[in-house]
């Protein structure tokens, strides 16, 4: 279990779980700058810049990467993997939404949306409504930052400023959500920050709100080997001490719960047709798989999708 999380903890964009959203946006900004990019997020950089200084500053910093490669090539390979993974994950869920709207779905819910910019950067069909659920300060930051740049959403975007541990279904419906219409749900970069029972409760609530034909997509992580993770942490600590950098340790924010349900199995048992894809297969398909020494099978995530029956 996380050593820093509490039942009623809150955060803004530069602290706790909120800061991980800046890290992810920084990875999208770095990918967007690549000539061989597989996703494009023109708003990621401004969202990162507005968040001030933090551990995210080393992402996309070629000078930093060169120094890391000189000190420890295997740690540099891990940094490369992390950037590639974020790009592939974004690509996968972008494609998920494209398929959902092609199937006629016009109601979208992004759970714990963070600095997700899909409501601004994807070409949504007319009549699409996107509900973004997250902590109030996180949503306020994103809206204010993009509005200051003159950036407008490409769909009817509605904020639902509430913690997912509270009565978010009531808040969602109060914002105009219609449980009678098919919905495309997304839980990206979320489940590892929830205890196992909270994950089950979240999917039960999603199921209750989902009309037949609704879709859901989620990213899930397997439990990490503690010995392998500690060795990796020691290498990170050694490198960052030498380079006078202090990256964020997200394991202090996540929940390692051996009783966590497999998402695909849970969905299949609760009225959904589900499919799970190993993230390595998707990375390999997009030619972004990096071999990481001594990584182990559980170090990689799974992308799960489901259709409500």
């Amino acid at each position: 279990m996380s050593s820093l999380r509490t039942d009623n903890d809150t955060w803004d964009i530069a602290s706790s779980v909120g800061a991980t959203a800046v890290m992810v946006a920084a990875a999208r900004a770095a990918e967007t700058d690549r000539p061989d990019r597989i996703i494009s997020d023109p708003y990621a950089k401004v969202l990162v810049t507005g968040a001030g200084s933090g551990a995210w500053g080393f992402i996309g910093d070629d000078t930093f990467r060169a120094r890391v490669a000189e000190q420890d090539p295997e740690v540099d390979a891990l940094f490369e993997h992390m950037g590639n993974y974020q790009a592939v994950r974004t690509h996968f869920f972008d494609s998920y939404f494209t398929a959902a709207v092609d199937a006629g779905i016009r109601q979208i819910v992004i759970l714990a949306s963070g600095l997700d910019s899909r409501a601004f950067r994807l070409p949504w069909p007319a009549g699409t409504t996107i509900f973004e659920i997250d902590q109030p300060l996180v949503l306020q930051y994103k809206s204010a930052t993009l509005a200051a740049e003159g950036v407008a959403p490409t769909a009817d975007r509605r904020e639902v400023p509430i913690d997912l541990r509270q009565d978010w279904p009531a808040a969602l419906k109060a914002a105009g959500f219609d449980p009678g219409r098919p919905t495309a749900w997304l839980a990206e970069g979320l489940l590892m920050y929830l205890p196992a029972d909270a994950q089950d409760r979240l999917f039960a609530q999603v199921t209750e709100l989902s009309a037949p034909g609704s879709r859901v997509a989620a990213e899930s992580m397997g439990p990490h080997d503690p010995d392998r993770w500690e060795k990796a942490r020691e290498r990170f600590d050694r490198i960052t001490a030498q380079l006078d950098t202090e990256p964020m340790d997200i394991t202090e924010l996540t929940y390692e719960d051996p009783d966590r349900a497999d998402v695909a199995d849970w969905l299949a048992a609760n009225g959904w047709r589900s499919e799970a894809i190993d993230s390595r297969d998707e990375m390999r398909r997009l030619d972004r798989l990096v071999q990481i020494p001594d990584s182990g099978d559980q170090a990689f995530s799974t992308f799960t999708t489901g259709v409500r029956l």
Side-chain angles (χ1 to χ4, degrees):
M1 179 177 287
S2 166
S3 61
L4 296 182
R5 302 295 306 285
T6 60
D7 288 343
N8 297 306
D9 55 338
T10 60
W11 49 84
D12 59 15
I13 201 62
S15 63
S16 186
V17 179
T20 66
V22 187
M23 299 284 283
V24 173
R28 294 200 307 269
E31 175 68 20
T32 300
D33 285 342
R34 288 179 56 149
D36 61 343
R37 60 181 175 270
I38 58 174
I39 62 105
S40 179
D41 186 344
Y43 310 121
K45 188 171 294 185
V46 68
L47 289 168
V48 172
T49 301
S53 61
W56 47 83
F58 71 87
I59 299 178
D61 184 337
D62 292 339
T63 300
F64 175 81
R65 283 288 305 277
R67 294 169 66 195
V68 170
E70 182 179 341
Q71 297 288 338
D72 191 330
E74 291 187 3
V75 171
D76 183 57
L78 183 55
F79 276 121
E80 182 181 3
H81 161 75
M82 292 164 59
N84 284 353
Y85 173 76
Q86 293 295 338
V88 169
R89 182 181 82 169
T90 300
H91 183 278
F92 181 88
F93 292 121
D94 282 358
S95 299
Y96 157 76
F97 278 129
T98 297
V101 297
D102 285 349
I105 294 176
R106 296 294 182 268
Q107 186 165 250
I108 310 297
V109 179
I110 303 177
L111 301 162
S113 58
L115 296 185
D116 186 307
S117 64
R118 291 184 175 96
F120 300 87
R121 66 178 178 82
L122 293 185
W124 299 99
T128 301
T129 302
I130 301 174
F131 298 91
E132 294 191 12
I133 305 177
D134 211 322
Q135 295 265 349
L137 292 177
V138 174
L139 292 174
Q140 289 172 18
Y141 169 78
K142 178 164 59 178
S143 294
T145 301
L146 294 180
E149 296 293 319
V151 179
T154 55
D156 178 7
R157 176 178 176 266
R158 303 186 188 182
E159 296 183 354
V160 185
I162 191 170
D163 192 297
L164 287 170
R165 293 166 292 189
Q166 299 170 354
D167 189 3
W168 64 267
L172 181 63
K173 286 185 279 190
F177 176 84
D178 181 358
R181 297 174 58 198
T183 303
W185 303 83
L186 177 61
E188 177 186 25
L190 165 61
L191 300 183
M192 66 282 288
Y193 301 110
L194 299 177
D197 60 342
Q199 175 179 307
D200 290 346
R201 184 166 59 253
L202 178 74
F203 282 116
Q205 292 167 315
V206 167
T207 299
E208 184 177 352
L209 293 168
S210 295
S214 292
R215 301 187 179 200
V216 65
E219 170 200 27
S220 58
M221 302 289 294
H224 290 95
D225 182 300
D227 292 335
R228 183 180 291 115
W229 191 258
E230 183 58 32
K231 290 178 182 178
R233 190 199 308 273
E234 290 173 359
R235 296 180 75 170
F236 269 114
D237 288 346
R238 185 172 64 253
I239 289 293
T240 54
Q242 292 171 347
L243 301 180
D244 193 26
T245 305
E246 191 175 349
M248 177 185 299
D249 183 359
I250 66 168
T251 62
E252 295 182 335
L253 302 173
T254 59
Y255 290 86
E256 287 286 330
D257 197 328
D259 297 325
R260 186 182 299 277
D262 177 88
V263 176
D265 290 346
W266 191 99
L267 291 173
N270 288 275
W272 299 79
R273 182 176 69 252
S274 64
E275 179 180 3
I277 298 176
D278 189 312
S279 63
R280 288 171 296 182
D281 292 337
E282 191 68 4
M283 295 182 76
R284 187 177 294 108
R285 185 179 73 82
L286 295 172
D287 196 26
R288 288 299 187 90
L289 185 64
V290 177
Q291 297 300 322
I292 306 174
D294 195 33
S295 58
D297 288 345
Q298 293 178 326
F300 296 90
S301 70
T302 301
F303 301 147
T304 301
T305 56
V307 178
R308 187 77 166 98
L309 302 175

